Amino acid sequence: MSPALRSKAAIVGIGATEFSANSGRSERRLAVEAVLAALADAGLEADDIDGIVNSDFDATNQLDIVNALGLANIRAYATIPHGGGSPCGTVAQAAMMVTSGVCECVVAYRSLNERSGHRYGSADAVPAYPWVFGLHAPYGLVVPGEWTAMHARRRMIEFGETREQWAEVPVTFRAHANRNPRAMLHGKTLTRGDYLAAPMLAEPLCRYDYCLETDGAVAYLVTSADRARSLRATPAHIHTAVQATGAPVWYQTNWYRDSLTTGAEVVAAARQLWSESGLSPRDIDVAQVYDHFAPLVLTALEDFGFCGKGEGAAFVGEGRIAHGGALPLNTAGGLLSEGYIHGWNLILEGVRQIRGTSTAQVEDVEFSLVTSCWGAPTSALILSR
Amino acid sequence: MTHTIQAWPRPLPQIDRDHAEWWAGLARHELLVQECPRCKALTFPPEPACPACRSLERGWRRSSGRGRVFSWVVVRRASHPYFADKVPYAVVLVAMDEGFRVVGSFEGPLDALCDGLPVEVGFDDVNDEVTLMRFRRVG
């Protein structure tokens, strides 16, 4: 996103369904509920919506929203690809649609019955695996946890990291979820002992290293900064939003490029983010870092420049990433403990931190960072007051 | 996570045109890597053009089959029913001596696995089209 677009658009409404293991309703219905909640939050009407953005992998498409809500004013729509890499890219897209003057009010949403329906963490009964998946599925690396373990092992080899150090991430995020009544694991505590005692699934990872699988939907509304001033919610200005692929990229099986512990796509996104924003990691007050797997949070923090390569474990220690710490992370519980709306719920929490409405609110937030998936073509977002 | 579906097929590759020659090499018990005839850059997984010099001309080089373990995963709970009776099993990422990496099964005691372990490729024919790699410790 060009610096010329900086803070010209804002997120002015957010909405979500409950996050559960079984929603009991269709993904269409969930999406529409989230969109209506975002409209109510913003004080806008359905007829104000003139643009729609979503992500690939969604079981619904724009037409489902158009038909359910009778949206007759749509002027532009887009679907941003690459799964968990896409969420912050949808914000960039919505901001471009608004700042170009094509649209006045863009809704973006993600809806999935990912626990009661198709589970991303489960194998599929397919006979043959295409592309690079065919290079590893026949050997028994079939699901994302099994792929990510290869990267996690390499952190142990290169940096001497231990599971005792990794525990800091899921235990801290769970504590944040324990403050957040919306979180799937709001009522369940997690101790370091629980983490270290858990059986290995794909060694060196255990279940607490894995994100949740969730039924639910979220939505947000973007309009111009000018129009945002007349709306009821504190606008979360889209200071900077970037997409980047780096090269080469093979999703969670980035085993064929030079390093398993550096994400070419995240390094590229970070370079763009800091140069286009004019900011640096020191300016960030609170961050929601895509936490599909706990050890990859360390890799992402390094790749975004919060600490040097190999320093991630030390960085997250001593309470730095906890509520009240120097850089609170994933303050709603993240994908590990709040819910897994394929990274989109991190955007909503980033907005809450700007508004001052988080259940683990950081004081006086000026810049709120949200990142999308490490490993996939990715994206990142800085929200500002 | 108990799987009740027993009829799931063994996971196999869907061999596309860009990968076909590589799989044909394995079927002949040869581990190949794409080598650019123009700039000699090695590319794996196979690509339809050379990412280094952008040549569309594609060539192949046969690997010695020797390399070192670069990383590994020990699957303790199978995610796919085919592997349910095979846990625990190890899958290795091997840095081949020529300078590219491949994934294969590991045959040997799990506690022998370490960074840099020297290994050599072996071949398991699955069917007429598909041969898989199995790495064993050498030396």
Side-chain angles (χ1 to χ4, degrees):
Chain A
M1 195 174 95
S2 156
L5 305 186
R6 186 182 299 164
S7 297
K8 296 279 174 58
I11 296 179
V12 295
I14 55 175
T17 66
E18 81 286 2
F19 300 153
S20 75
N22 187 352
S23 70
R25 46 210 199 276
S26 73
E27 281 140 327
R28 246 188 233 116
R29 167 82 189 203
L30 294 174
V32 170
E33 287 182 23
V35 168
L36 288 174
L39 285 167
D41 179 59
L44 289 167
E45 301 297 327
D47 287 333
D48 290 318
I49 294 174
D50 58 5
I52 308 181
V53 180
N54 70 356
S55 285
D56 64 350
F57 287 52
D58 208 283
T60 74
N61 65 47
Q62 287 83 351
L63 207 48
D64 292 311
I65 311 300
V66 165
N67 288 352
L69 295 179
L71 303 184
N73 303 323
I74 301 303
R75 303 158 66 93
Y77 38 88
T79 297
I80 303 299
H82 303 303
S86 68
C88 295
T90 66
V91 180
Q93 177 71 28
M96 289 189 283
M97 287 161 71
V98 164
T99 54
S100 65
V102 173
C103 296
E104 285 192 18
C105 179
V106 175
V107 69
Y109 76 94
R110 181 78 171 95
S111 174
L112 68 180
N113 280 329
E114 203 261 331
R115 180 61 180 78
S116 65
H118 174 70
R119 299 173 66 173
Y120 298 170
S122 299
D124 295 319
V126 296
Y129 288 72
W131 192 52
V132 296
F133 301 106
L135 301 176
H136 53 260
Y139 300 103
L141 301 183
V142 184
V143 297
E146 292 162 356
W147 307 333
T148 301
M150 201 72 93
H151 291 269
R153 171 76 66 188
R154 200 60 209 169
R155 288 197 64 88
M156 291 177 150
I157 293 167
E158 293 181 24
F159 312 131
E161 281 178 5
T162 62
R163 289 183 42 77
E164 284 78 0
Q165 291 176 302
W166 293 350
E168 194 73 18
V169 171
V171 168
T172 301
F173 293 0
R174 182 64 63 83
H176 294 162
N178 295 149
R179 303 169 63 100
N180 171 14
R182 294 177 307 273
M184 285 179 84
L185 299 180
H186 171 63
K188 290 188 179 171
T189 57
L190 178 70
T191 66
R192 301 179 71 83
D194 296 333
Y195 177 85
L196 294 171
M200 294 285 103
L201 299 180
E203 194 179 325
L205 301 180
C206 74
R207 63 181 292 195
Y208 300 118
D209 292 306
Y210 287 41
C211 62
L212 300 171
E213 296 177 299
T214 303
D215 286 12
V218 304
Y220 64 84
L221 286 160
V222 172
T223 191
S224 67
D226 284 344
R227 188 169 182 190
R229 276 187 218 107
S230 65
L231 297 175
R232 68 162 70 122
T234 303
H237 290 100
I238 300 166
H239 184 281
T240 305
V242 300
Q243 289 181 290
T245 67
V249 182
W250 296 281
Y251 299 103
Q252 300 314 122
T253 60
N254 284 307
W255 305 329
Y256 311 105
R257 58 191 190 188
D258 290 346
S259 173
L260 267 63
T261 55
T262 297
E265 68 294 331
V266 176
V267 169
R271 190 185 305 122
Q272 282 174 237
L273 186 75
W274 303 130
S275 77
E276 291 174 19
S277 66
L279 301 173
S280 79
R282 286 186 305 280
D283 296 309
I284 299 301
D285 301 301
V286 58
Q288 316 301 321
V289 175
Y290 196 96
D291 52 334
H292 41 354
F293 294 96
L296 291 186
V297 171
L298 308 185
T299 307
L301 287 168
E302 295 163 357
D303 288 347
F304 273 103
F306 285 96
C307 57
K309 186 50 63 183
E311 296 171 3
F315 183 85
V316 301
E318 296 174 352
R320 183 185 267 113
I321 62 170
H323 181 235
L327 183 69
L329 294 187
N330 299 29
T331 44
L335 312 182
L336 290 173
S337 282
E338 185 193 35
Y340 180 83
I341 311 297
H342 220 168
W344 281 63
N345 45 321
L346 301 178
I347 297 172
L348 268 58
E349 177 64 7
V351 170
R352 287 187 207 103
Q353 286 288 354
I354 293 292
R355 291 180 172 186
T357 57
S358 169
T359 50
Q361 183 62 44
V362 175
E363 280 180 39
D364 206 23
V365 171
E366 187 174 7
F367 297 113
S368 169
L369 172 70
V370 184
T371 76
S372 295
C373 184
W374 189 97
T378 195
S379 54
L381 164 69
I382 296 172
L383 296 165
S384 64
R385 278 204 300 250
Chain B
M1 205 184 298
T2 309
H3 290 279
T4 51
I5 307 164
Q6 298 302 321
W8 284 28
R10 176 176 186 167
L12 290 175
Q14 182 182 307
I15 300 175
D16 67 33
R17 291 182 177 185
D18 296 315
H19 289 216
E21 287 190 59
W22 186 77
W23 284 103
L26 284 189
R28 297 191 303 270
H29 292 195
E30 295 175 3
L31 172 53
L32 303 180
V33 59
Q34 234 175 6
E35 183 182 61
C36 178
R38 192 160 86 182
C39 78
K40 304 299 175 195
L42 299 183
T43 298
F44 188 85
E47 292 290 347
C50 174
C53 76
R54 284 73 190 247
S55 170
L56 283 167
E57 200 185 340
R58 307 275 61 207
W60 299 90
R61 176 175 170 184
R62 185 176 173 178
S63 165
S64 66
R66 285 186 293 275
R68 290 175 181 275
V69 169
F70 189 78
S71 192
W72 69 96
V73 179
V74 178
V75 177
R76 302 251 174 212
R77 187 155 80 182
S79 61
H80 188 292
Y82 176 78
F83 298 98
D85 60 358
K86 296 169 182 64
V87 290
Y89 61 90
V91 183
V92 286
L93 178 64
V94 179
M96 304 307 298
D97 288 352
E98 292 79 12
F100 69 105
R101 297 191 201 117
V102 292
V103 170
S105 300
F106 179 70
E107 181 186 346
L110 298 180
D111 59 7
L113 280 165
C114 63
D115 182 38
L117 182 75
V119 290
E120 187 171 53
V121 73
F123 300 94
D124 294 322
D125 296 327
V126 175
N127 58 36
D128 288 346
E129 277 194 315
V130 178
T131 294
L132 299 179
M133 291 178 286
R134 175 175 27 83
F135 286 92
R136 276 175 299 213
R137 178 182 192 158
V138 292

